[in-house]
Amino acid sequence: MSDILHAEVMDNASEETKRQFEYIEKAKGYVADLAKELGRTPKACVVTFGCQMNARDSEKLIGILSKIGYEITESEEADFVIYNTCTVRDNADQRVFGRLGFVGGIKKKNPHMKIALCGCMMQEQSAIEKIQKSYRHVDLIFGTHNIFKFAELICTAFESDRMIIDIWKDTDKIVEDLPIVRKYPFKSGINIMFGCNNFCTYCIVPYVRGRERSRSPRDIIREIEYLANDGVKEIMLLGQNVNSYGRGLPEDEQISFAELLTEVCKVDGIKRVRFMTSHPKDLSDDLIKVIAENEKVARHIHLPLQSGSDEILKKMNRHYTKESYLNLVEKIRKTIPDVSLTTDIIVGFPGETDGDVDETIDVVRKAKFDNAFTFIYSKRTGTPAASWEQVPEEVSKPNFDRLLKVVQETAKEQALRFEGQTHRVLVEEINEQDEKLVTGRMSGNTLVHFPGDKSLIGSFVDVRLDECHGFYYTGTMV
Ligand code: SAH
Ligand code: SF4
Ligand code: F3S
């Protein structure tokens, strides 16, 4: 658990950062008053949906909440509950509405309780309208562009009994150096860019996260140096398409993702570097070379395929073909033989036929993915594909099932290739099912369970991979 605020950072903090620190001070007063009233420290709970970006944003929310005096809890039986939402597929939306109904019941018993909603779903007007109409017990709503104002918004919520809604359409503002509390002391995500400019025709992310903005390389390296000093050993560089990092930076800061990765690896104390996500259209030979030559870079590339059919890829606006994707995979596997390749695939995109899914399955067989996240296409209002003729479930569901079968077979075969070898793992936690075991993560991202105790958490150890169980191994420390 850590707090990135320190004197040196404060010296060169921007005006906005300073303003937010004034609100943090003010909010501390409000929380202290509440503590007096309750006769105990007030509790706050942040529930996170969605991707690594949201997970990182939640660490920023928890940073502010801790700073102003809340005790952080995992239970929604709290004095302040914040839902950090995702809207990439409809089921993500439905889960949030489900939680809101549930927490409404808790609030009935504790009228002083405050409920906030933020994140991607809040960038959609229709979601806001539904909440205003049917979920009146929500106190505060904000979006993905003004999360840095959280302390200010909390102050407003303490000062008013009305539902506060503050959504920004977009911003080019990046506010640095606010408090962050990490979930893991030994590993951390780092935003290197925000937003997305790719507009894949099925995807809502560019609409809810806004235009692509890269963070200054100096700020990124400074944050990573701070984290390394604070005990972080593994970092994950985060962006919707990290391969286009650097576009739009001022001339004196121009740097490619491959160059940034090289610089990041030079930071003392950082032992392993991951990144997420790579768009196949922008993955450069330079990047493959940097990964191959730099042991610190994890042997894992997540390379979303989405579809193996050229016609569907074109309609999706993905800017690559089945052939160019497979050539890229071949190049990667040749240059980095021990790499794990994972992917995302969508089934049921408008116009998709059984023949198109055959093409996708063919790519899965040829690319030999170590793992693949498969999704049924979900119609997102506002995206181009939403207005095209949709594929009925009777067609997409059987296609999804036969794709999943091949994905599982391939993943199992791939996992077997490391059995009997010894690999370096970062120990992350005590095994959930058996407390005599610990769980570690290999460079390729696969999990390994082996005998050990909590003193190992946060350290790198060598483990022999005794037995492969499909998606994970059991092993022995050597
Ligand atoms: N920027 C990342 C993806 C972020 S969203 C990239 O381009 O790789 C994560 C995954 O959700 C996507 O890769 C895609 O497979 C899936 N996804 C996005 N929109 C979807 C939709 N409308 N329906 C189903 N799956 C979707
Ligand atoms: Fe969505 Fe495509 Fe951007 Fe990924 S690259 S976030 S799938 S629009
Ligand atoms: Fe979801 Fe937003 Fe991430 S829509 S997948 S939380 S960028």
Side-chain angles (χ1 to χ4, degrees), residues 7 17 20 80 131 133 174 180 207 250 336 406 417 426 463:
T17 308
Q20 290 307 318
F80 190 11
I131 292 155
K133 208 167 131 229
I174 299 177
I180 301 183
Y207 304 88
I336 322 164
V406 180
R417 74 193 158 128
L426 174 57
V463 178

Side-chain angles (χ1 to χ4, degrees), residues 122-366:
M122 298 306 117
Q123 294 294 138
E124 288 185 293
Q125 189 53 33
S126 56
I128 305 272
E129 281 163 15
K130 184 163 172 180
I131 292 155
Q132 279 177 306
K133 208 167 131 229
S134 311
Y135 299 89
R136 296 295 310 163
H137 54 285
V138 171
D139 300 278
L140 168 63
I141 300 179
F142 56 103
T144 54
H145 300 295
N146 52 351
I147 180 169
F148 67 85
K149 279 179 69 183
F150 189 39
E152 183 177 345
L153 292 166
I154 292 174
C155 288
T156 319
F158 269 111
E159 288 155 11
S160 158
D161 281 335
R162 306 192 25 204
M163 187 190 283
I164 294 151
I165 304 178
D166 188 359
I167 306 290
W168 293 9
K169 263 203 147 51
D170 201 350
T171 184
D172 50 11
K173 204 167 187 163
I174 299 177
V175 181
E176 299 282 342
D177 302 325
L178 289 167
I180 301 183
V181 171
R182 295 193 304 277
K183 186 167 174 199
Y184 298 95
F186 51 86
K187 69 170 188 177
S188 180
I190 314 257
N191 302 104
I192 62 166
M193 57 212 293
F194 302 93
C196 181
N197 284 355
N198 290 303
F199 289 97
C200 302
T201 53
Y202 49 82
C203 183
I204 195 81
V205 172
Y207 304 88
V208 296
R209 286 274 172 178
R211 294 295 60 73
E212 186 180 289
R213 311 170 295 288
S214 290
R215 243 178 113 190
S216 130
R218 275 195 290 271
D219 288 337
I220 295 170
I221 297 293
R222 192 167 56 110
E223 184 175 353
I224 296 174
E225 285 170 349
Y226 175 78
L227 290 170
N229 270 328
D230 197 43
V232 168
K233 294 176 183 163
E234 180 179 291
I235 55 170
M236 184 184 270
L237 307 176
L238 300 173
Q240 292 300 349
N241 175 10
V242 293
N243 299 328
S244 67
Y245 172 78
R247 280 181 207 158
L249 280 174
E251 211 144 279
D252 61 330
E253 290 193 316
Q254 275 297 331
I255 165 172
S256 70
F257 180 61
E259 289 162 336
L260 178 73
L261 191 57
T262 309
E263 289 307 306
V264 166
C265 287
K266 288 183 190 155
V267 175
D268 274 347
I270 298 297
K271 300 264 175 21
R272 198 187 261 172
V273 183
R274 302 183 179 280
F275 54 88
M276 192 84 138
T277 299
S278 278
H279 194 305
K281 78 179 163 75
D282 297 314
L283 199 144
S284 68
D285 290 354
D286 284 349
L287 178 62
I288 300 178
K289 197 159 162 261
V290 168
I291 303 170
E293 289 173 357
N294 209 320
E295 280 210 338
K296 278 193 186 178
V297 183
R299 265 44 200 147
H300 176 213
I301 302 179
H302 185 63
L303 196 64
L305 166 69
Q306 314 300 3
S307 167
S309 149
D310 286 345
E311 202 175 317
I312 296 294
L313 284 170
K314 199 151 190 250
K315 284 194 194 150
M316 287 178 161
N317 193 31
R318 290 291 289 180
H319 297 282
Y320 53 85
T321 61
K322 176 182 179 187
E323 192 188 352
S324 69
Y325 185 94
L326 282 170
N327 286 342
L328 179 60
V329 167
E330 197 184 321
K331 199 156 57 179
I332 294 171
R333 291 235 187 255
K334 209 146 111 211
T335 323
I336 322 164
D338 54 347
V339 79
S340 285
L341 272 182
T342 58
T343 201
D344 292 342
I345 299 172
I346 298 175
V347 176
F349 182 81
E352 188 182 62
T353 62
D354 294 355
D356 292 319
V357 179
D358 292 341
E359 297 286 335
T360 304
I361 290 179
D362 190 42
V363 177
V364 173
R365 289 218 165 91
K366 289 187 169 132

Side-chain angles (χ1 to χ4, degrees), residues 4 8 14 23 39 57 62 75 88 110 113 137 175-176 206 215 230 235 237-238 242 261 269 355 363 383 404 430 473:
I4 72 160
E8 182 207 325
S14 72
Y23 281 110
D57 283 350
I62 292 173
S75 156
V88 76
N110 305 301
M113 181 182 185
H137 54 285
V175 181
E176 299 282 342
R215 243 178 113 190
D230 197 43
I235 55 170
L237 307 176
L238 300 173
V242 293
L261 191 57
V363 177
T383 62
L404 189 63
I430 297 287
Y473 288 98

